[in-house]
Amino acid sequence: MSKCNTANAATKHITDEVLALIEQSVQDISFGSITLVIQDSRVIQIEKLEKIRICDQLPKAVVKTTAVASMPGVRTRVLQSVSGMEYGKVVIQIQAGQIMQVERTEKYRVGKLTGLNGDGI
């Protein structure tokens, strides 16, 4: 299977309902992060961490309006970040209602390792 086909196969496991839930989670947070946990090329868990800034000058309604205006690229960015990943996490950092950073941490499952107990060395 080519790399392009593998990436397309991985993104097919993310349903429109999951993407809508991710978009809604991003819209609900002014400051914080959304972590997507990926297992077997599927989003199995969404973690929301919201930070409440006491000294923030912007009213929440203004920040929410800004967040809604910046949403069109969320689905594309999430699909790109999750594409081809079997195991790992994607963290979406949000500041003042804007997506500031997307981190992708991929994990690899390794079969039987040689050399751990002196064999194969």
Side-chain angles (χ1 to χ4, degrees), residues 16-65:
D16 287 334
E17 292 82 13
V18 171
L19 287 170
L21 185 58
I22 293 166
E23 284 178 328
Q24 185 61 49
S25 298
V26 169
Q27 289 178 4
D28 289 345
I29 293 179
S30 297
F31 292 90
S33 64
I34 305 291
T35 302
L36 310 176
V37 179
I38 315 299
Q39 183 175 335
D40 295 325
S41 300
R42 290 189 165 86
V43 176
I44 63 161
Q45 183 172 306
I46 300 172
E47 301 170 1
K48 289 173 44 173
L49 173 66
E50 185 171 9
K51 298 176 183 177
I52 300 171
R53 297 221 171 159
I54 305 299
C55 62
D56 191 18
Q57 297 296 323
L58 292 174
K60 200 161 186 151
V62 173
V63 173
K64 292 290 184 197
T65 304

Side-chain angles (χ1 to χ4, degrees), residues 67-94:
V68 173
S70 67
M71 286 299 109
V74 173
R75 281 183 186 234
T76 304
R77 190 41 142 160
V78 167
L79 289 172
Q80 287 173 346
S81 298
V82 174
S83 177
M85 184 185 299
E86 282 190 69
Y87 301 97
K89 292 183 180 184
V90 173
V91 180
I92 303 167
Q93 298 289 338
I94 303 163

